Amino acid sequence: MDSKNLGINTICTHVGEVKDEQFQGAISPLYMSSSYQYDGVDVKRYPRYFNTPNQEALGKKIAMLEKKEAGMIFGSGMAATSTTILAFLQKGDHIVLPKTLYGGTYNFVVEELHKFGIEHSFTKGFSEEDFLSAIQENTKVIFVETPSNPLMLITDLEMISSIARERGIVTMIDNTFASPVNQTPHDFGIDICIHSATKYMGGHSDICAGAVAASQEHMDKIWNIAKNLGGSLSDYTVWLLERSMKTMAIRVKAHNKNAKKMAKWLQKHELVQKVYYPGLKDHPDHDLAKKQMNGFTGMLSFELVAGIDTNAFMKKLKLIKQSMSLAGVESTILSPTHTSHALLSAEERAHQGINDGLLRFSVGIENKEDLIADFKQAFAAIATPELV
Ligand SMILES: *Cc1c(COP(=O)(O)O)cnc(C)c1O
C-alpha cells in the first residue's frame, strides 16, 4: 500500500493502526500497560515518553493528515501548545502572536512566559505589516491561529512562512478551527501544526486531548521537553480518539456543508445584522480562505440587530445548546462577550470587532431544516413588533 497517495478518508480510517497479530481483530488493540520490558529492546516504552503502541499509532495518523514526518498526542490542546512553544524558546528569546488568540493560549503567554525570561509581542492585526512590525532581533517563533475566533478572519500562511524563513524563525499554527480536513498548513510552508483534539478531531464532545505534527527534527525538540513536562494522554483516551478520527473527514465535510447553508440563511434574516463566515463572498478574507482552505469549517459568527438581548435569544433555542466548547456533532452557540472574551474590557472587545450582539455558532451535523426551525421559533419568541 503506497501510503503517500491515500485519500483523506482512508488515512483517517487506517493509517497508523496497530495490527492485532494475536487475534486478527479489525481495529487497533488497546494497550493499557504503563510498564514495558526495557531489557534487550530498542525502544524504552512508557506513557510519559509518548511512545506506547496506541500513542504511536495515532501520532502516525495525525502526521500523515498534516503531511508531516511525525505526530505526538497530548493530554489537552493547551498541553500541546504550551509544550511546543516552550520547546523553541529560551531566556532572552521572543515570540510573536496575533492579539486575537484562543483565551488559554493568550493566558499562557501573558502569565507564564515571563517566568522563563521569554518576551512576547502581539500583532495589531493579521497583515504582513502587522507581523513585520512585531518581529524583533531576538524573535524565534511566530505563532498564528487561522481562522480566528470568533470573527473567522484569515491569516495568509504563505506570507507568514516567507517572512519567517528569511529570518530563521520557526512558525507554528493552531489549526484547531480548520482541522486537517480543511487546511494543511504544511502546503504553505508552516513548520508546526498544533490541535486541540478536543474539537473536530474528537468531534463528539467527550474527549479532551491535543496533538502536534512536525518534522522529525522539530519533534525531537518537542519530545525532549514534553517528557519533562509530562502532558501525556491516557492510552484509553488515545484509543477513543483513534476511533473518533476514523470519521473525522466525513464529519467535517458535513459541518462545512451545514455551516455554509446556515450562514446563507442567517444572512437573509431581518433580525441578523451581519454574518461572519469565510465561505461567504462578502467575507473580507473570502479569496484568501479559498486559496488556503479546502472547506470553510463548521464555525461561524453572526450579529443580531441592535436591541436584541443575546442571552434571551439563546435561552429560546431548544435544539441548539448554549455551550462553551465547539466542533462537536451537536450544534452549540455562545456569546463571546459573556464567555470567551468576558475578561477583555468593552473597548478591547470593540477594538477586536466583537460587539454585544455577536454570537458564535458551532454548526453541528443535524439536518439543516431542524436547525432553521429552531432559529425561526427562537426569533419569533423574542421579536417585539417594533423590531420586526
Ligand atoms: C479549545 C481550543 C484550544 C485548547 O484546547 P484544550 O483541549 O481545551 O486544551 C486551543 N486552541 C483553540 C483554537 C481551541 O478552540
Side-chain angles (χ1 to χ4, degrees):
M1 192 164 70
D2 179 8
S3 53
K4 282 220 158 56
N5 296 318
L6 295 176
I8 192 161
N9 283 311
T10 313
I11 298 173
C12 284
T13 314
H14 290 296
V15 166
E17 65 196 347
V18 183
K19 290 273 173 293
D20 176 2
E21 304 284 1
Q22 200 174 359
F23 300 110
Q24 287 79 42
I27 62 159
S28 298
L30 166 57
Y31 292 88
M32 284 299 285
S33 193
S34 62
S35 180
Y36 290 82
Q37 180 178 326
Y38 70 89
D39 195 24
V41 295
D42 296 338
V43 184
K44 312 278 181 263
R45 295 192 194 277
Y46 187 61
R48 187 170 43 76
Y49 291 174
F50 296 77
N51 63 359
T52 63
N54 293 102
Q55 288 171 331
E56 284 193 348
L58 189 50
K60 283 181 195 157
K61 196 191 295 290
I62 286 166
M64 185 161 292
L65 283 166
E66 289 287 15
K67 302 189 185 170
K68 294 291 188 188
E69 288 170 346
M72 243 167 92
I73 313 305
F74 287 82
S76 68
M78 280 314 302
T81 302
S82 56
T83 303
T84 305
I85 287 177
L86 287 175
F88 291 87
L89 294 167
Q90 302 186 22
K91 190 173 169 193
D93 289 345
H94 176 255
I95 178 173
V96 170
L97 313 94
K99 183 89 191 210
T100 312
L101 262 185
Y102 175 71
T105 308
Y106 179 86
N107 291 342
F108 168 70
V109 166
V110 170
E111 292 171 16
E112 310 300 337
L113 288 186
H114 67 94
K115 297 177 191 167
F116 298 90
I118 297 164
E119 298 170 32
H120 69 267
S121 298
F122 294 115
T123 64
K124 286 201 183 68
F126 303 96
S127 71
E128 179 164 12
E129 212 188 321
D130 291 326
F131 278 91
L132 284 176
S133 65
I135 290 173
Q136 303 178 175
E137 284 278 282
N138 56 344
T139 302
K140 295 287 160 58
V141 172
I142 299 178
F143 186 103
V144 297
E145 188 183 310
T146 178
S148 74
N149 177 20
L151 298 182
M152 305 296 290
L153 298 172
I154 310 292
T155 305
D156 186 337
L157 295 178
E158 221 156 35
M159 173 274 284
I160 294 291
S161 63
S162 105
I163 61 177
R165 204 174 299 124
E166 282 165 16
R167 296 165 175 81
I169 296 172
V170 174
T171 48
M172 300 177 185
I173 181 172
D174 182 334
N175 203 25
T176 302
F177 262 45
S179 88
V181 183
N182 287 327
Q183 185 164 269
T184 318
H186 177 80
D187 290 341
F188 304 97
I190 299 294
D191 296 318
I192 301 173
C193 305
I194 303 171
H195 287 272
S196 167
T198 314
K199 313 296 165 49
Y200 284 117
M201 286 185 171
H204 297 73
S205 307
D206 55 5
I207 284 172
C208 181
V212 178
S215 67
Q216 192 59 54
E217 191 186 343
H218 282 153
M219 198 58 90
D220 290 345
K221 278 190 118 164
I222 297 167
W223 184 81
N224 270 326
I225 180 170
K227 72 181 193 306
N228 294 337
L229 294 177
S232 54
L233 183 65
S234 136
D235 280 296
Y236 179 65
T237 315
V238 172
W239 179 79
L240 279 179
L241 185 56
E242 184 183 346
R243 183 183 69 170
S244 291
M245 289 200 50
K246 288 173 194 264
T247 57
M248 179 179 67
I250 56 171
R251 276 189 283 108
V252 168
K253 283 173 191 165
H255 284 288
N256 290 346
K257 208 169 145 197
N258 253 7
K260 194 162 187 181
K261 287 180 177 151
M262 292 310 300
K264 286 187 171 159
W265 185 82
L266 285 163
Q267 206 173 29
K268 288 198 196 108
H269 201 281
E270 69 266 24
L271 296 184
V272 175
Q273 182 76 36
K274 199 165 177 180
V275 177
Y276 298 88
Y277 186 63
L280 293 177
K281 287 202 180 64
D282 67 353
H283 185 281
D285 299 329
H286 177 66
D287 289 339
L288 183 53
K290 262 197 349 208
K291 178 187 149 204
Q292 68 185 34
M293 300 179 80
N294 311 313
F296 303 112
T297 89
M299 300 302 300
L300 65 87
S301 289
F302 61 98
E303 239 169 70
L304 297 177
V305 295
I308 299 185
D309 176 354
T310 52
N311 281 327
F313 173 71
M314 286 189 292
K315 281 206 183 82
K316 296 290 180 196
L317 291 166
K318 291 175 179 159
L319 187 63
I320 300 161
K321 294 190 178 79
Q322 268 191 73
S323 157
M324 280 288 278
S325 202
L326 58 108
V329 288
E330 67 287 340
S331 290
T332 59
I333 195 162
L334 63 71
S335 153
T337 301
H338 296 105
T339 55
S340 54
H341 295 70
L343 293 178
L344 300 182
S345 66
E347 295 83 63
E348 190 49 44
R349 275 197 297 273
H351 177 68
Q352 292 194 23
I354 299 164
N355 76 23
D356 290 351
L358 191 75
L359 292 172
R360 189 191 74 190
F361 181 21
S362 171
V363 186
I365 63 166
E366 301 94 338
N367 291 85
K368 75 165 194 307
E369 294 77 14
D370 296 325
L371 296 174
I372 289 172
D374 197 25
F375 275 123
K376 274 188 175 164
Q377 64 80 25
F379 277 127
I382 48 112
T384 55
E386 63 272 23
L387 277 172
V388 193

